[in-house]
Amino acid sequence: MKLSPRRIREFLIEKLIFLSGLASIVFVALIFIFLLREGVSVLKTTSLGSFLGGKFWYPISNPAKLGILPLILGSLLVTAGAILIAVPLGIAAAFYIAEVAPKRWRTILKTCVEVLSAIPSVVLGFLGITVLVPFLKNILHLPTGLTAFSGSLMLAFMALPTIITISEDAINAVPREYKDGALALGATHWQTLYRVVIHGALPGIIAAAMLGIGRVFGETMAVMMVTGNAAVIPHTLFEPVRTLTATIAAEMGEAAKGTPHYFALFAVGIVLFIISFVINLTADILLHRGRKR
Amino acid sequence: MTNEGRRQKVGFGVLLLATFIVVIPVTAIVLLIVAKGWGALSWSFLFTMPREGMRAGGILPAIVGTVYLVFASIAFALPIGVMAAIYLSEYAKDNALTRTINLAIINLAGVSSVVFGLFGLSLFVIFLKFGVSIISGSLTLGIMTLPVIITTTREALRAVPRSYREVSFSLGASRWQTVRHAVLPHALSGILTGAILSIGRVAGETAPILFTVAAFYLPNLPTGLSDQAMALPYHLYIITTQIPGIPENYRYGTAFVLIGFVLIMNITATVIRSKARRKR
């Protein structure tokens, strides 16, 4: 068969398309490799155990203490607070939007959720500092409003669009026959929702909660601006904390290249990368299992 | 009323309440920024350089920097993203490779934005020696926004009826000819939606540009891709947290410009999408 110019062009274009298809894999691999490249050197100065379990993060003291336990606990505390608020609210709102709301309202409510997901996190952080933080300080009589609780409220808000849209998809994907069957047996609409629909939608709803957790755990700017940035082990929700993400964002600018501090910040990045990887993988498995049934 | 009827009323009432708790703050946020930011807007706020340690003057360099970043990152990510979507929708078989690609896309979408910043610093700024520059920042932002472009484009391609492809094949067209002439033209509005959504996303991100491009203050506008630049979200961050004594309406004005740009992009994308749906 003769190779016409058209065939050669097509061959090249299709190769290019294939390579672009592979791009996502390449980029994920590159992210991991280049985090490792800088981050693995932290093990020259601390052991893995004292890095992950060390109680003190004093990166610029001499010698530097590079334990990220306070940061991990800070992230966990803020995330737990946010999820406790956002998951019930988000699921309830998803049920309302998917099953109860009149059709015209549904569009308006969905638009609101989309607007929320579009607001840049730095704008929410700005409003957090100027409106939410002084407000919480006054009504709760705290020495400062820059606390884990402010961060949790902020992050709950940012996780809501993820939780609502994915739960709503899961609720809509429940086969009609389940609902019709329940209604035909004389169940009320409400009974159908919380006895039947919720079971069909459960894997999707759990995935929604997990992706919400992933979103919250990785969120940087808003949480850095409202949590007060104290890298100490927190005891309550109402004191300043410092998350893993905020530590990188706040300190990378000052960490000189090649210092243990610099390597440690990259190592924190590796920890974040692995956590988000595990969360997304689990959520994806749940979503697929939900779809297959 | 029966017991069950009362229960249903209470249940739906709780769901409605939860929805209000979500929706009311969103409306309040947008209204607050519009109300307080509107007063700060003026010709000189939008089109002059900052003065007096950014406590006066305008935000022109931040706007220009963000425009640079948006265009450069989309120019990089759009072709790759669209071609990746074409591969997944038109060429890929259901095998391990395709599953790995899908998994990679999901993970790329889930990586924390500050980790993208670290990655950009490590690969573009240091390893490839691009320095702290618009090119480093745009490539970082481009990779970050790739999942948005791929998933929206893939949806658009999959929505093109199968019969269009079959007709094209039956006329003897090759696979690429089919994609190019029978599929892509019908997916254009979906591709556009993805591009516009990612423009909004890129314009609002702060963490990925912290160490790759963003400058605290520059006396001149950037002249090329290898320059540092100021950017709207980073500017809002520093005038909120790093510099004392900034007038409040100056901050609200900056937030208004940023959120205005992002929301206009989102509304445009929504309009295009719903128009395309109606046509079908």
Side-chain angles (χ1 to χ4, degrees), chain A residues 6 10 14 18 20-21 24 34 96 118 123 127 157 188-191 218 221 224 252 262 266 277 281 284, chain B residues 4 8 16 19 25 29 33 83-84 87 91 101 103 105-107 112 122-123 126 174 177 206 211 237 262:
Chain A
R6 185 179 70 81
E10 269 186 23
E14 291 188 339
F18 178 64
S20 303
S24 304
F34 275 85
Y96 186 79
V123 172
L127 285 178
F157 216 53
T188 62
H189 190 182
W190 171 247
Q191 285 172 323
M221 295 312 289
M224 170 161 76
M252 191 41 111
Y262 172 90
F266 270 95
F277 194 90
L281 196 65
D284 186 54
Chain B
E4 280 307 328
Q8 164 150 326
L16 179 63
T19 312
I29 287 172
I33 290 183
M83 285 198 290
Y87 175 74
Y91 288 89
I101 293 175
L103 196 62
I105 294 171
I106 290 164
N107 272 300
S112 164
S122 172
L123 174 59
I126 296 171
S174 67
Q177 284 174 319
T206 317
F211 338 115
Y237 168 64
V262 171

Side-chain angles (χ1 to χ4, degrees), chain B residues 9-68:
Chain B
K9 259 211 154 141
V10 174
F12 284 179
V14 171
L15 297 186
L16 179 63
L17 186 69
T19 312
F20 274 138
I21 297 176
V22 176
V23 170
I24 289 173
V26 180
T27 328
I29 287 172
V30 175
L31 290 181
L32 180 69
I33 290 183
V34 171
K36 290 216 176 182
W38 187 255
L41 284 200
S42 66
W43 187 262
S44 68
F45 183 71
L46 292 175
F47 297 110
T48 62
M49 302 295 283
R51 283 177 290 116
E52 298 165 29
M54 295 193 271
R55 290 179 185 85
I59 56 168
L60 179 67
I63 295 178
V64 170
T66 289
V67 170
Y68 262 101

Side-chain angles (χ1 to χ4, degrees), chain A residues 6 10 13-14 16-18 20-25 27-28 30-32 34-35 37-38 88-97 100 109 112-116 118-127 129-131 157 160 164 188-191 193-195 211 214 217-221 224-225 244-245 248-250 252-253 257 262 265-266 268-270 272-273 276-278 280-281 284 288, chain B residues 4-5 7-12 14-23 25-27 29-30 32-33 76 79-81 83-84 86-88 91 97 100-101 103-116 118-119 121-124 126-127 143 146 150 174-177 179 200 203-207 210-211 232-234 236-237 240-241 248 251-252 255 258-259 262-263 266 270 273:
Chain A
R6 185 179 70 81
E10 269 186 23
I13 288 173
E14 291 188 339
L16 210 58
I17 286 175
F18 178 64
S20 303
L22 297 182
S24 304
I25 300 181
F27 288 137
V28 171
L30 278 178
I31 291 175
F32 193 58
F34 275 85
L35 290 179
R37 203 177 101 93
E38 310 281 345
L89 263 186
I91 295 174
F95 267 103
Y96 186 79
I97 295 173
V100 188
L109 293 173
C112 265
V113 175
E114 268 179 42
V115 166
L116 176 57
I119 298 175
S121 78
V122 68
V123 172
L124 288 176
F126 157 68
L127 285 178
I129 287 192
T130 33
V131 182
F157 216 53
L160 278 169
I164 294 176
T188 62
H189 190 182
W190 171 247
Q191 285 172 323
L193 284 192
Y194 88 98
R195 293 265 169 81
L211 291 174
F217 210 83
E219 170 47 43
T220 312
M221 295 312 289
M224 170 161 76
M225 290 163 86
L244 293 165
T245 50
I248 301 176
M252 191 41 111
K257 188 177 176 307
Y262 172 90
L265 291 176
F266 270 95
V268 172
I270 299 175
L272 280 170
F273 182 84
S276 70
F277 194 90
V278 171
N280 285 295
L281 196 65
D284 186 54
H288 275 283
Chain B
E4 280 307 328
R7 239 188 232 178
Q8 164 150 326
K9 259 211 154 141
V10 174
F12 284 179
V14 171
L15 297 186
L16 179 63
L17 186 69
T19 312
F20 274 138
I21 297 176
V22 176
V23 170
V26 180
T27 328
I29 287 172
V30 175
L32 180 69
I33 290 183
F76 163 70
I80 298 183
M83 285 198 290
I86 292 176
Y87 175 74
L88 287 171
Y91 288 89
L97 177 65
T100 315
I101 293 175
L103 196 62
I105 294 171
I106 290 164
N107 272 300
L108 212 52
V111 170
S112 164
S113 55
V114 77
V115 172
F116 275 107
L118 284 182
F119 161 67
L121 172 67
S122 172
L123 174 59
F124 301 123
I126 296 171
F127 184 75
I143 294 174
L146 211 48
I150 295 179
S174 67
R175 185 166 284 268
W176 167 245
Q177 284 174 319
V179 171
E205 277 292 343
T206 317
L210 282 176
F211 338 115
L232 275 175
Y234 184 64
L236 178 60
Y237 168 64
T240 307
T241 59
E248 193 177 57
R251 293 176 179 161
Y252 273 104
L258 180 58
I259 208 175
V262 171
L263 288 186
N266 272 270
T270 317
R273 194 167 42 190

Side-chain angles (χ1 to χ4, degrees), chain A residues 32-48 51 259-260 262-271, chain B residues 122:
Chain A
F32 193 58
I33 292 167
F34 275 85
L35 290 179
L36 271 186
R37 203 177 101 93
E38 310 281 345
V40 88
S41 304
V42 79
L43 296 178
K44 282 185 206 150
T45 43
T46 49
S47 69
L48 189 62
F51 176 68
T259 58
Y262 172 90
F263 296 135
L265 291 176
F266 270 95
V268 172
I270 299 175
V271 172
Chain B
S122 172

Side-chain angles (χ1 to χ4, degrees), chain B residues 28-209:
Chain B
I29 287 172
V30 175
L31 290 181
L32 180 69
I33 290 183
V34 171
K36 290 216 176 182
W38 187 255
L41 284 200
S42 66
W43 187 262
S44 68
F45 183 71
L46 292 175
F47 297 110
T48 62
M49 302 295 283
R51 283 177 290 116
E52 298 165 29
M54 295 193 271
R55 290 179 185 85
I59 56 168
L60 179 67
I63 295 178
V64 170
T66 289
V67 170
Y68 262 101
L69 288 173
V70 163
F71 275 105
S73 57
I74 296 301
F76 163 70
L78 191 60
I80 298 183
V82 169
M83 285 198 290
I86 292 176
Y87 175 74
L88 287 171
S89 158
E90 308 295 324
Y91 288 89
K93 299 180 191 80
D94 188 14
N95 57 18
L97 177 65
T98 309
R99 279 196 293 278
T100 315
I101 293 175
N102 284 323
L103 196 62
I105 294 171
I106 290 164
N107 272 300
L108 212 52
V111 170
S112 164
S113 55
V114 77
V115 172
F116 275 107
L118 284 182
F119 161 67
L121 172 67
S122 172
L123 174 59
F124 301 123
V125 177
I126 296 171
F127 184 75
L128 295 175
K129 299 198 173 65
F130 292 160
V132 176
S133 62
I134 294 177
I135 187 82
S136 298
S138 314
L139 291 173
T140 311
L141 287 168
I143 294 174
M144 187 199 70
T145 194
L146 211 48
V148 179
I149 298 179
I150 295 179
T151 43
T152 43
T153 306
R154 188 175 53 186
E155 290 311 311
L157 292 170
R158 284 190 180 155
V160 177
R162 179 146 283 274
S163 54
Y164 289 24
R165 298 179 180 87
E166 282 159 2
V167 168
S168 171
F169 284 134
S170 71
L171 292 171
S174 67
R175 185 166 284 268
W176 167 245
Q177 284 174 319
T178 303
V179 171
R180 170 70 190 79
H181 299 288
V183 180
L184 268 186
H186 301 281
L188 274 186
S189 60
I191 297 173
L192 203 58
T193 309
I196 294 171
L197 280 179
S198 47
I199 287 177
R201 172 99 197 273
V202 164
E205 277 292 343
T206 317
I209 61 175

